[in-house]
């Protein structure tokens, strides 16, 4: 028999009395026999530092890549406007008035 089945039978199938548990079971909770956890301040500080270092290491390259993609798309749109015969000024004015 497994432990769950034994506990179910003991709790639900026991004698019905006025006590808090049907089978008059005394339940005790015992902690695991491990020592108390100690916080290492140096490790916590190093973890925070390396997390920030990792974020800042990828921040500049990501910004550069996104900036170059945006510039490339802007140039492609300007070339398309020139092909269609629009001036750059009219395209910029039209874009600003339609986005608002």
């Amino acid at each position: 028999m497994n432990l769950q089945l034994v506990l179910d039978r003991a709790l639900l199938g026991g004698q019905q009395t006025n006590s808090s548990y049907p089978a008059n079971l005394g339940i005790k909770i015992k902690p695991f026999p491990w020592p108390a956890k100690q916080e290492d301040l140096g490790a916590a500080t190093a973890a925070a530092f390396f997390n920030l270092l990792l974020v800042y290491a990828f921040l500049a390259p990501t910004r550069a890549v996104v900036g170059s993609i945006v510039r490339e798309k802007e140039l492609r749109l300007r070339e398309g406007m020139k092909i269609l015969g629009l001036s750059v000024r009219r395209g910029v004015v039209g874009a600003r008035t339609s986005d608002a």
Side-chain angles (χ1 to χ4, degrees):
M1 289 184 142
N2 62 9
L3 181 62
Q4 184 66 44
L5 183 62
V6 171
L7 284 175
D8 288 343
R9 286 186 180 172
L11 289 173
L12 299 175
Q15 302 172 4
Q16 296 294 329
T17 61
N18 290 335
S19 67
S20 61
Y21 297 108
N24 291 330
L25 294 175
I27 297 175
K28 295 180 183 177
I29 298 174
K30 196 171 168 183
F32 287 111
W34 287 308
K37 181 181 175 185
Q38 295 179 356
E39 287 291 326
D40 187 7
L41 187 60
T45 305
F49 173 73
F50 284 119
N51 282 337
L52 286 174
L53 183 68
L54 203 68
V55 167
Y56 287 124
F58 288 103
L59 196 62
T62 304
R63 182 182 174 274
V65 168
V66 169
S68 67
I69 291 172
V70 168
R71 276 191 300 277
E72 182 180 339
K73 292 221 178 240
E74 286 176 353
L75 288 175
R76 193 178 306 165
L77 284 172
R78 285 185 185 157
E79 286 176 5
M81 286 189 307
K82 285 181 184 178
I83 290 171
L84 292 175
L86 292 173
S87 66
V88 176
R89 178 179 287 175
R90 286 187 184 182
V92 170
V93 170
R96 290 193 181 171
T97 56
S98 65
D99 287 341

